[in-house]
Amino acid sequence: MPTYILYESALGFALFEKRKLDEVSLSKIEKQLGEYSRFKEMVSFLAFQPFDTPEHGLENINAISEGLLTDFLINFLENHLRGKTEETDGIKLGVLETKLGGAIQEHFDKKIVCFTDDIVFGICRGIQKAQLGLGHSYSRAKVKFNVNKSDNNIIQSISMLDQLDKDLNTFSMRLKEWYGWHFPELVRIVKKNDVYAKCALLIKNRGSLVKENNKEGFDELIHQVTDVLQGDNEVVEQIVKAARSSMGQDASEFDMMNMELFAKKVVDLTAYRKQLFEYLETKMHDVAPNLTCILGESVGARLISKAGSLMNLSKCPASTVQILGAEKALFKAIKTRGKTPKYGLLYNASFVSKASKQNKGKVSRYLANKCAMAARIDTFQDFPTSKFGEMLRDQIAERLEFYEKKGSNKKMKLQKNIELMRTAMKESEKDRPNEEEEEDGKKRKRATSIEEDGSSLPQEEKPKKKKEKKDKKKDKKEKKEEDKMEEEVVVEDKKEKKDKKKKDKKKREKEVVQEEQPVVEEEKKDKKKKDKKKRDKKKKE
């Protein structure tokens, strides 16, 4: 008798055929369920019937839980099991619900024998695991994880760095307050937080800096303190003098032990922060080398974390890259109808800080444009190179000089994007891995072998002509773009001249109005006097 299993799910009903199993395989059924290759040998798929609507599925599932047969399930079983019942004496059907099995046997006049045991439960559990495994494998293929493009580590490390900076500031302030009760003069002499924590860890009790109290370890302690202070002997002498005439309280051994532990924690956190920043530098150079060349490690990582990922940053236009980090100011300006912000996180970039107040908006807009280009190159390039970022950085520096020297008569020739990208492509080919070079060599050898045969010579003449036409079209496009760039520069100069002329006209008109006002007032006064005289004459008459 063939055995089948009825599987109920939220999508519909499914039938599986159970193959013949040995006693050994039945005893190890739970182990076999974990591996899909072994589970495939136990069960084979036969048929599936989905529900029409979610309401229809809910009706069928409720009926099954109550042990009732629906017309949908009857039709499904008749369509797929009627011919097989006629061929054989009977069929075994494994069912999860015992009540449902009795209803099926009554309807089919015991031609279908239903049963429920551990094997049925185990096989149904294996089907569920297979569904989950398929979902996990699909999600892995969809994500397509790449070790070199793992920007999630950059997001986590930059957020960890920001949190560490806040924590270190609070911890160092707390250490200064706590250790300041014992040695308050050290805060004025040593101002850096990390150096202060190291000094407090070395000095411990201020009495150790007095030579009379610590004759044996005095020289070693001063040598260690000078190493921490990078050989600044003047500061060491100030610390020793302050320790001799300190106004602080004496601390017990138990209190000093707790201070020492806290200072050690602060020193360890500062060392860990340095290691984390080095890790971020290496990750940024691996994942986004062109963006790091333009902005640096910290600003580039903050842009990636703000956008969510490098892919999301590459999808953003230059206008959104320019305002990333200043969303509150933007919405406030939209509500109050004020001026929108010119820069967000890009304000921390070196190019924007170098620019003057008048040109900061222009530089940030141009910088955002190049950052968007660099992010797209980083996401979609096959092998990591920083040549594009170096070229774009030089272009931004030239543009900044152009904006700063715009008032002078010096004319600067600016690099164009097409020429820049061509040079960067040529230089980036040198950074390609050896495997690709070997493939290119093989292709060239094949081409040369075909040329030696002589069979493909007439066919190769056509692509040469096509290449010549394409080169001519490219040259025309380049000339047009060059003309457009020159026209834009000329138009900008003309606009500035027109604005200056308008301002001069307004000033002149104001001056003329101011000069004419006293003359007009005198004329009015003379008219009033004449009118009064006429009135007086008329009254006398």
Side-chain angles (χ1 to χ4, degrees), residues 200-216:
L201 187 62
L202 287 171
I203 295 164
K204 297 173 185 175
N205 194 349
R206 68 173 187 274
S208 61
L209 290 170
V210 180
K211 194 172 185 180
E212 296 172 356
N213 297 331
N214 189 13
K215 291 180 181 180
E216 295 178 356

Side-chain angles (χ1 to χ4, degrees), residues 79-139:
N79 290 330
H80 297 287
L81 296 177
R82 181 182 285 174
K84 291 174 182 179
T85 53
E86 292 174 357
E87 290 174 3
T88 58
D89 296 333
I91 289 171
K92 283 185 178 181
L93 184 67
V95 183
L96 290 171
E97 296 287 336
T98 54
K99 292 180 182 178
L100 183 67
I104 291 167
Q105 283 182 359
E106 287 178 2
H107 185 269
F108 287 97
D109 296 330
K110 294 184 180 181
K111 289 181 181 179
I112 297 171
V113 179
C114 297
F115 67 97
T116 55
D117 56 0
D118 294 334
I119 296 169
V120 175
F121 286 115
I123 290 168
C124 290
R125 205 182 304 121
I127 293 163
Q128 289 177 356
K129 284 184 179 180
Q131 285 179 343
L132 287 171
L134 192 138
H136 287 303
S137 61
Y138 174 76
S139 62

Side-chain angles (χ1 to χ4, degrees), residues 57 150-151 160 191 202 215 276 304 330 420:
S150 57
D151 51 1
M160 188 68 188
K191 293 180 180 179
L202 287 171
K215 291 180 181 180
L276 190 65
I304 291 166
L330 183 93
L420 188 139

